Amino acid sequence: MKRIVLACAAGMSTSMVVTRMEKEAAARGLSYKIYAIPEQNLREELQNYPGEVAVVLLGPQVRFKLEENRKLTDSHQIPIAVIDTLAYGTLNGAKVLDQALALIN
């Protein structure tokens, strides 16, 4: 199963975004494992699941780590972006899922 990884500062709001993304994916009949990890664990996550991670989205609170993590994801040919701040702040799982899917496709 392909994975959508949200890398953040391990905050509660990211887990709420994940829950809403999962509900939206299920409603659309999409099969992705969607979950959040602390940003500092991203390297290990990519090593543990080679070929399974479809996209990485960074929480807005760790946006300053984008370029550092882009080097890591580029070496695995995985797209990465910062979650849209408004979608994140309003817990808009549909919009965040759309952002992830646009990066995958």
Side-chain angles (χ1 to χ4, degrees), residues 28-80:
R28 296 181 191 185
L30 299 173
S31 178
Y32 285 96
K33 180 165 178 61
I34 304 169
Y35 57 99
I37 62 168
E39 178 274 331
Q40 64 266 24
N41 294 354
L42 184 57
R43 178 179 306 277
E44 181 180 336
E45 191 71 17
L46 296 178
Q47 290 171 345
N48 288 341
Y49 301 102
E52 292 183 33
V53 177
V55 64
V56 173
L57 295 175
L58 293 180
Q61 68 274 36
V62 293
R63 71 179 336 115
F64 64 95
K65 297 271 197 154
L66 178 62
E67 290 311 312
E68 175 185 329
N69 285 300
R70 186 182 310 278
K71 293 174 188 168
L72 176 63
T73 57
D74 281 355
S75 69
H76 293 273
Q77 299 179 330
I78 298 169
I80 186 171

Short mmCIF file of all heavy atoms in Angstrom, two decimals, residues 28-80:
data_model
loop_
_atom_site.label_atom_id
_atom_site.label_comp_id
_atom_site.label_asym_id
_atom_site.label_seq_id
_atom_site.Cartn_x
_atom_site.Cartn_y
_atom_site.Cartn_z
N ARG A 28 -13.64 8.61 -1.18
CA ARG A 28 -13.29 8.61 -2.61
C ARG A 28 -12.87 7.23 -3.11
O ARG A 28 -12.56 7.06 -4.28
CB ARG A 28 -12.13 9.57 -2.86
CG ARG A 28 -12.45 11.02 -2.57
CD ARG A 28 -11.27 11.88 -2.89
NE ARG A 28 -11.42 13.24 -2.41
CZ ARG A 28 -10.55 14.22 -2.65
NH1 ARG A 28 -9.47 13.98 -3.38
NH2 ARG A 28 -10.75 15.42 -2.17
N GLY A 29 -12.83 6.26 -2.21
CA GLY A 29 -12.43 4.92 -2.60
C GLY A 29 -10.94 4.78 -2.86
O GLY A 29 -10.51 3.90 -3.60
N LEU A 30 -10.15 5.65 -2.24
CA LEU A 30 -8.69 5.61 -2.41
C LEU A 30 -8.05 4.77 -1.32
O LEU A 30 -8.49 4.79 -0.18
CB LEU A 30 -8.12 7.03 -2.36
CG LEU A 30 -8.64 7.99 -3.43
CD1 LEU A 30 -8.12 9.40 -3.18
CD2 LEU A 30 -8.23 7.51 -4.82
N SER A 31 -7.01 4.09 -1.68
CA SER A 31 -6.33 3.20 -0.73
C SER A 31 -4.91 3.69 -0.47
O SER A 31 -3.98 3.35 -1.20
CB SER A 31 -6.31 1.78 -1.31
OG SER A 31 -5.63 0.92 -0.45
N TYR A 32 -4.76 4.52 0.56
CA TYR A 32 -3.47 5.03 0.99
C TYR A 32 -3.36 4.85 2.49
O TYR A 32 -4.35 4.99 3.20
CB TYR A 32 -3.31 6.53 0.68
CG TYR A 32 -3.07 6.84 -0.76
CD1 TYR A 32 -4.11 7.21 -1.59
CD2 TYR A 32 -1.78 6.78 -1.29
CE1 TYR A 32 -3.89 7.51 -2.92
CE2 TYR A 32 -1.55 7.08 -2.63
CZ TYR A 32 -2.61 7.44 -3.44
OH TYR A 32 -2.39 7.73 -4.76
N LYS A 33 -2.17 4.57 2.96
CA LYS A 33 -1.90 4.61 4.39
C LYS A 33 -1.45 6.05 4.66
O LYS A 33 -0.44 6.50 4.12
CB LYS A 33 -0.81 3.62 4.78
CG LYS A 33 -0.51 3.64 6.27
CD LYS A 33 0.28 2.42 6.69
CE LYS A 33 0.63 2.43 8.15
NZ LYS A 33 -0.51 2.46 9.06
N ILE A 34 -2.21 6.77 5.46
CA ILE A 34 -1.94 8.19 5.75
C ILE A 34 -1.63 8.30 7.22
O ILE A 34 -2.40 7.85 8.07
CB ILE A 34 -3.16 9.07 5.39
CG1 ILE A 34 -3.57 8.85 3.93
CG2 ILE A 34 -2.86 10.54 5.67
CD1 ILE A 34 -4.91 9.47 3.56
N TYR A 35 -0.47 8.89 7.53
CA TYR A 35 -0.09 9.01 8.94
C TYR A 35 0.92 10.12 9.13
O TYR A 35 1.53 10.62 8.17
CB TYR A 35 0.46 7.68 9.46
CG TYR A 35 1.65 7.15 8.69
CD1 TYR A 35 2.96 7.33 9.14
CD2 TYR A 35 1.47 6.47 7.50
CE1 TYR A 35 4.04 6.85 8.44
CE2 TYR A 35 2.54 5.97 6.79
CZ TYR A 35 3.83 6.16 7.26
OH TYR A 35 4.90 5.70 6.55
N ALA A 36 1.10 10.52 10.39
CA ALA A 36 2.03 11.59 10.75
C ALA A 36 3.20 11.02 11.55
O ALA A 36 3.02 10.07 12.32
CB ALA A 36 1.32 12.67 11.57
N ILE A 37 4.36 11.61 11.31
CA ILE A 37 5.57 11.25 12.06
C ILE A 37 6.29 12.54 12.45
O ILE A 37 6.08 13.58 11.83
CB ILE A 37 6.53 10.36 11.23
CG1 ILE A 37 7.02 11.12 9.99
CG2 ILE A 37 5.88 9.04 10.88
CD1 ILE A 37 8.18 10.44 9.27
N PRO A 38 7.14 12.49 13.46
CA PRO A 38 7.98 13.65 13.75
C PRO A 38 8.94 13.88 12.58
O PRO A 38 9.48 12.92 12.01
CB PRO A 38 8.74 13.25 15.01
CG PRO A 38 7.94 12.15 15.63
CD PRO A 38 7.30 11.44 14.47
N GLU A 39 9.12 15.10 12.21
CA GLU A 39 9.97 15.45 11.06
C GLU A 39 11.36 14.84 11.20
O GLU A 39 11.93 14.36 10.21
CB GLU A 39 10.04 16.98 10.91
CG GLU A 39 10.93 17.47 9.79
CD GLU A 39 12.38 17.61 10.21
OE1 GLU A 39 12.63 17.85 11.41
OE2 GLU A 39 13.26 17.44 9.34
N GLN A 40 11.91 14.80 12.39
CA GLN A 40 13.26 14.28 12.57
C GLN A 40 13.37 12.78 12.29
O GLN A 40 14.46 12.24 12.17
CB GLN A 40 13.84 14.63 13.95
CG GLN A 40 13.10 14.01 15.11
CD GLN A 40 12.04 14.92 15.69
OE1 GLN A 40 11.52 15.80 15.02
NE2 GLN A 40 11.70 14.70 16.95
N ASN A 41 12.24 12.09 12.15
CA ASN A 41 12.24 10.65 11.85
C ASN A 41 12.06 10.34 10.37
O ASN A 41 11.96 9.18 9.99
CB ASN A 41 11.12 9.94 12.63
CG ASN A 41 11.35 9.98 14.12
OD1 ASN A 41 12.38 10.44 14.59
ND2 ASN A 41 10.38 9.53 14.87
N LEU A 42 12.04 11.37 9.53
CA LEU A 42 11.75 11.16 8.12
C LEU A 42 12.78 10.27 7.42
O LEU A 42 12.41 9.36 6.67
CB LEU A 42 11.63 12.50 7.38
CG LEU A 42 11.24 12.41 5.92
CD1 LEU A 42 9.91 11.66 5.74
CD2 LEU A 42 11.15 13.80 5.31
N ARG A 43 14.05 10.48 7.67
CA ARG A 43 15.09 9.66 7.04
C ARG A 43 14.86 8.18 7.33
O ARG A 43 14.87 7.34 6.44
CB ARG A 43 16.48 10.08 7.51
CG ARG A 43 17.62 9.24 6.93
CD ARG A 43 18.98 9.71 7.42
NE ARG A 43 19.22 11.11 7.19
CZ ARG A 43 19.67 11.62 6.02
NH1 ARG A 43 19.92 10.83 5.02
NH2 ARG A 43 19.86 12.92 5.90
N GLU A 44 14.63 7.87 8.58
CA GLU A 44 14.39 6.48 8.99
C GLU A 44 13.13 5.91 8.34
O GLU A 44 13.11 4.76 7.89
CB GLU A 44 14.27 6.41 10.52
CG GLU A 44 14.05 5.04 11.06
CD GLU A 44 13.94 5.04 12.58
OE1 GLU A 44 14.45 5.97 13.24
OE2 GLU A 44 13.31 4.10 13.11
N GLU A 45 12.09 6.73 8.25
CA GLU A 45 10.84 6.29 7.64
C GLU A 45 11.04 5.90 6.18
O GLU A 45 10.55 4.87 5.72
CB GLU A 45 9.79 7.41 7.75
CG GLU A 45 8.40 6.99 7.39
CD GLU A 45 7.77 6.08 8.43
OE1 GLU A 45 8.25 6.00 9.58
OE2 GLU A 45 6.78 5.42 8.08
N LEU A 46 11.79 6.71 5.45
CA LEU A 46 12.04 6.43 4.04
C LEU A 46 12.90 5.17 3.87
O LEU A 46 12.72 4.42 2.92
CB LEU A 46 12.71 7.62 3.36
CG LEU A 46 11.85 8.90 3.31
CD1 LEU A 46 12.63 10.03 2.67
CD2 LEU A 46 10.54 8.66 2.60
N GLN A 47 13.81 4.94 4.80
CA GLN A 47 14.64 3.74 4.75
C GLN A 47 13.83 2.48 5.10
O GLN A 47 14.05 1.42 4.53
CB GLN A 47 15.83 3.87 5.70
CG GLN A 47 16.85 4.89 5.24
CD GLN A 47 17.91 5.19 6.28
OE1 GLN A 47 17.77 4.86 7.46
NE2 GLN A 47 18.98 5.85 5.85
N ASN A 48 12.88 2.62 6.01
CA ASN A 48 12.07 1.48 6.44
C ASN A 48 11.03 1.05 5.40
O ASN A 48 10.60 -0.10 5.40
CB ASN A 48 11.35 1.78 7.76
CG ASN A 48 12.30 1.80 8.93
OD1 ASN A 48 13.40 1.28 8.88
ND2 ASN A 48 11.87 2.44 10.01
N TYR A 49 10.60 1.98 4.54
CA TYR A 49 9.54 1.70 3.58
C TYR A 49 9.95 2.12 2.17
O TYR A 49 9.28 2.92 1.55
CB TYR A 49 8.23 2.37 4.01
CG TYR A 49 7.78 1.92 5.36
CD1 TYR A 49 7.97 2.71 6.49
CD2 TYR A 49 7.20 0.66 5.52
CE1 TYR A 49 7.58 2.26 7.74
CE2 TYR A 49 6.81 0.22 6.77
CZ TYR A 49 7.00 1.02 7.87
OH TYR A 49 6.62 0.57 9.11
N PRO A 50 11.04 1.56 1.66
CA PRO A 50 11.48 1.95 0.31
C PRO A 50 10.43 1.58 -0.73
O PRO A 50 9.87 0.48 -0.69
CB PRO A 50 12.77 1.14 0.11
CG PRO A 50 12.65 -0.02 1.03
CD PRO A 50 11.85 0.48 2.21
N GLY A 51 10.13 2.52 -1.60
CA GLY A 51 9.16 2.28 -2.65
C GLY A 51 7.71 2.40 -2.24
O GLY A 51 6.82 2.32 -3.08
N GLU A 52 7.44 2.57 -0.96
CA GLU A 52 6.04 2.66 -0.49
C GLU A 52 5.58 4.09 -0.26
O GLU A 52 4.39 4.38 -0.39
CB GLU A 52 5.86 1.86 0.80
CG GLU A 52 5.99 0.36 0.61
CD GLU A 52 5.73 -0.41 1.88
OE1 GLU A 52 4.88 0.02 2.69
OE2 GLU A 52 6.38 -1.46 2.06
N VAL A 53 6.49 4.98 0.12
CA VAL A 53 6.10 6.36 0.39
C VAL A 53 5.87 7.08 -0.95
O VAL A 53 6.78 7.19 -1.77
CB VAL A 53 7.17 7.10 1.23
CG1 VAL A 53 6.78 8.55 1.44
CG2 VAL A 53 7.37 6.39 2.57
N ALA A 54 4.64 7.54 -1.15
CA ALA A 54 4.27 8.20 -2.41
C ALA A 54 4.54 9.70 -2.35
O ALA A 54 4.86 10.32 -3.37
CB ALA A 54 2.80 7.96 -2.72
N VAL A 55 4.40 10.30 -1.17
CA VAL A 55 4.56 11.74 -1.02
C VAL A 55 4.81 12.07 0.45
O VAL A 55 4.34 11.35 1.33
CB VAL A 55 3.32 12.51 -1.55
CG1 VAL A 55 2.08 12.20 -0.74
CG2 VAL A 55 3.57 14.01 -1.63
N VAL A 56 5.55 13.15 0.68
CA VAL A 56 5.77 13.66 2.03
C VAL A 56 5.25 15.10 2.08
O VAL A 56 5.57 15.91 1.22
CB VAL A 56 7.27 13.64 2.41
CG1 VAL A 56 7.50 14.33 3.76
CG2 VAL A 56 7.81 12.22 2.42
N LEU A 57 4.44 15.37 3.08
CA LEU A 57 3.96 16.73 3.33
C LEU A 57 4.48 17.18 4.68
O LEU A 57 4.31 16.48 5.67
CB LEU A 57 2.43 16.77 3.31
CG LEU A 57 1.75 16.44 1.99
CD1 LEU A 57 0.24 16.39 2.17
CD2 LEU A 57 2.13 17.45 0.93
N LEU A 58 5.11 18.34 4.69
CA LEU A 58 5.62 18.91 5.94
C LEU A 58 4.56 19.80 6.57
O LEU A 58 3.91 20.59 5.87
CB LEU A 58 6.87 19.75 5.69
CG LEU A 58 8.14 19.03 5.23
CD1 LEU A 58 9.26 20.04 5.04
CD2 LEU A 58 8.56 17.97 6.22
N GLY A 59 4.42 19.70 7.88
CA GLY A 59 3.54 20.62 8.59
C GLY A 59 4.08 22.04 8.48
O GLY A 59 5.29 22.24 8.43
N PRO A 60 3.18 23.02 8.44
CA PRO A 60 3.63 24.41 8.32
C PRO A 60 4.63 24.83 9.40
O PRO A 60 5.49 25.67 9.16
CB PRO A 60 2.33 25.21 8.43
CG PRO A 60 1.27 24.27 7.99
CD PRO A 60 1.73 22.90 8.46
N GLN A 61 4.54 24.21 10.58
CA GLN A 61 5.43 24.59 11.68
C GLN A 61 6.87 24.16 11.43
O GLN A 61 7.78 24.64 12.11
CB GLN A 61 4.90 24.05 13.01
CG GLN A 61 4.95 22.54 13.16
CD GLN A 61 3.74 21.81 12.60
OE1 GLN A 61 3.18 22.19 11.59
NE2 GLN A 61 3.35 20.74 13.26
N VAL A 62 7.12 23.27 10.47
CA VAL A 62 8.50 22.85 10.15
C VAL A 62 8.85 23.21 8.70
O VAL A 62 9.74 22.61 8.10
CB VAL A 62 8.74 21.35 10.42
CG1 VAL A 62 8.69 21.06 11.92
CG2 VAL A 62 7.77 20.46 9.65
N ARG A 63 8.17 24.19 8.14
CA ARG A 63 8.41 24.60 6.75
C ARG A 63 9.86 25.00 6.52
O ARG A 63 10.38 24.83 5.42
CB ARG A 63 7.47 25.72 6.34
CG ARG A 63 7.76 27.06 6.97
CD ARG A 63 6.84 28.20 6.54
NE ARG A 63 6.22 28.03 5.27
CZ ARG A 63 4.90 27.89 5.07
NH1 ARG A 63 4.09 27.95 6.09
NH2 ARG A 63 4.42 27.73 3.88
N PHE A 64 10.54 25.48 7.54
CA PHE A 64 11.94 25.88 7.39
C PHE A 64 12.86 24.68 7.11
O PHE A 64 14.01 24.85 6.74
CB PHE A 64 12.42 26.65 8.64
CG PHE A 64 12.44 25.82 9.89
CD1 PHE A 64 13.59 25.18 10.31
CD2 PHE A 64 11.28 25.68 10.66
CE1 PHE A 64 13.61 24.41 11.47
CE2 PHE A 64 11.29 24.91 11.82
CZ PHE A 64 12.46 24.27 12.22
N LYS A 65 12.35 23.47 7.27
CA LYS A 65 13.12 22.25 7.01
C LYS A 65 12.89 21.70 5.60
O LYS A 65 13.38 20.63 5.27
CB LYS A 65 12.73 21.16 8.02
CG LYS A 65 13.04 21.51 9.45
CD LYS A 65 14.42 21.07 9.79
CE LYS A 65 14.62 21.03 11.28
NZ LYS A 65 15.64 20.11 11.68
N LEU A 66 12.16 22.44 4.77
CA LEU A 66 11.80 21.94 3.44
C LEU A 66 13.03 21.60 2.60
O LEU A 66 13.13 20.49 2.08
CB LEU A 66 10.90 22.92 2.70
CG LEU A 66 10.51 22.52 1.27
CD1 LEU A 66 9.72 21.21 1.27
CD2 LEU A 66 9.72 23.63 0.60
N GLU A 67 13.95 22.52 2.44
CA GLU A 67 15.08 22.26 1.56
C GLU A 67 15.97 21.13 2.08
O GLU A 67 16.45 20.31 1.30
CB GLU A 67 15.89 23.54 1.33
CG GLU A 67 15.14 24.56 0.47
CD GLU A 67 14.54 23.97 -0.81
OE1 GLU A 67 15.26 23.25 -1.53
OE2 GLU A 67 13.36 24.22 -1.08
N GLU A 68 16.17 21.09 3.36
CA GLU A 68 16.95 20.01 3.97
C GLU A 68 16.31 18.65 3.66
O GLU A 68 16.98 17.69 3.28
CB GLU A 68 17.03 20.23 5.47
CG GLU A 68 17.70 19.14 6.26
CD GLU A 68 17.63 19.40 7.77
OE1 GLU A 68 17.62 20.58 8.18
OE2 GLU A 68 17.57 18.41 8.51
N ASN A 69 15.00 18.57 3.80
CA ASN A 69 14.30 17.32 3.55
C ASN A 69 14.11 17.03 2.07
O ASN A 69 14.00 15.87 1.67
CB ASN A 69 12.96 17.30 4.28
CG ASN A 69 13.15 17.06 5.76
OD1 ASN A 69 13.68 16.04 6.17
ND2 ASN A 69 12.74 18.02 6.58
N ARG A 70 14.09 18.07 1.24
CA ARG A 70 13.98 17.87 -0.20
C ARG A 70 15.19 17.07 -0.72
O ARG A 70 15.06 16.21 -1.58
CB ARG A 70 13.86 19.18 -0.95
CG ARG A 70 13.60 18.99 -2.45
CD ARG A 70 13.52 20.30 -3.22
NE ARG A 70 12.67 21.29 -2.64
CZ ARG A 70 11.34 21.35 -2.80
NH1 ARG A 70 10.72 20.42 -3.49
NH2 ARG A 70 10.64 22.32 -2.27
N LYS A 71 16.37 17.34 -0.19
CA LYS A 71 17.56 16.58 -0.58
C LYS A 71 17.36 15.10 -0.28
O LYS A 71 17.73 14.23 -1.06
CB LYS A 71 18.80 17.11 0.14
CG LYS A 71 19.19 18.50 -0.27
CD LYS A 71 20.32 19.04 0.57
CE LYS A 71 20.55 20.51 0.25
NZ LYS A 71 21.42 21.16 1.21
N LEU A 72 16.76 14.82 0.85
CA LEU A 72 16.50 13.44 1.27
C LEU A 72 15.45 12.78 0.37
O LEU A 72 15.64 11.67 -0.12
CB LEU A 72 16.05 13.43 2.73
CG LEU A 72 15.65 12.11 3.33
CD1 LEU A 72 16.82 11.14 3.34
CD2 LEU A 72 15.14 12.33 4.74
N THR A 73 14.33 13.46 0.16
CA THR A 73 13.26 12.86 -0.64
C THR A 73 13.64 12.77 -2.11
O THR A 73 13.25 11.82 -2.79
CB THR A 73 11.93 13.62 -0.48
OG1 THR A 73 12.11 14.99 -0.84
CG2 THR A 73 11.41 13.51 0.94
N ASP A 74 14.39 13.73 -2.61
CA ASP A 74 14.83 13.67 -4.01
C ASP A 74 15.66 12.43 -4.27
O ASP A 74 15.55 11.81 -5.33
CB ASP A 74 15.64 14.91 -4.39
CG ASP A 74 14.76 16.14 -4.68
OD1 ASP A 74 13.51 16.00 -4.67
OD2 ASP A 74 15.33 17.22 -4.89
N SER A 75 16.49 12.04 -3.30
CA SER A 75 17.32 10.85 -3.48
C SER A 75 16.46 9.58 -3.56
O SER A 75 16.91 8.56 -4.07
CB SER A 75 18.36 10.74 -2.36
OG SER A 75 17.74 10.44 -1.13
N HIS A 76 15.22 9.65 -3.08
CA HIS A 76 14.29 8.52 -3.15
C HIS A 76 13.23 8.74 -4.24
O HIS A 76 12.30 7.94 -4.36
CB HIS A 76 13.58 8.32 -1.80
CG HIS A 76 14.48 7.86 -0.70
ND1 HIS A 76 14.76 6.53 -0.48
CD2 HIS A 76 15.18 8.56 0.23
CE1 HIS A 76 15.59 6.42 0.55
NE2 HIS A 76 15.85 7.64 1.00
N GLN A 77 13.33 9.87 -4.95
CA GLN A 77 12.38 10.26 -6.00
C GLN A 77 10.95 10.35 -5.46
O GLN A 77 10.00 9.84 -6.04
CB GLN A 77 12.46 9.30 -7.19
CG GLN A 77 13.83 9.30 -7.83
CD GLN A 77 13.94 8.35 -8.99
OE1 GLN A 77 13.27 7.32 -9.03
NE2 GLN A 77 14.79 8.69 -9.94
N ILE A 78 10.84 11.04 -4.32
CA ILE A 78 9.54 11.24 -3.67
C ILE A 78 9.26 12.74 -3.62
O ILE A 78 10.10 13.51 -3.15
CB ILE A 78 9.57 10.67 -2.23
CG1 ILE A 78 9.82 9.16 -2.27
CG2 ILE A 78 8.27 10.97 -1.50
CD1 ILE A 78 10.14 8.56 -0.91
N PRO A 79 8.07 13.15 -4.08
CA PRO A 79 7.73 14.58 -3.99
C PRO A 79 7.52 15.01 -2.54
O PRO A 79 7.08 14.21 -1.70
CB PRO A 79 6.45 14.70 -4.80
CG PRO A 79 5.89 13.32 -4.88
CD PRO A 79 7.03 12.37 -4.71
N ILE A 80 7.84 16.28 -2.28
CA ILE A 80 7.67 16.85 -0.94
C ILE A 80 7.18 18.28 -1.07
O ILE A 80 7.54 18.98 -2.03
CB ILE A 80 8.99 16.79 -0.14
CG1 ILE A 80 8.78 17.25 1.31
CG2 ILE A 80 10.08 17.59 -0.82
CD1 ILE A 80 9.99 17.01 2.23
#
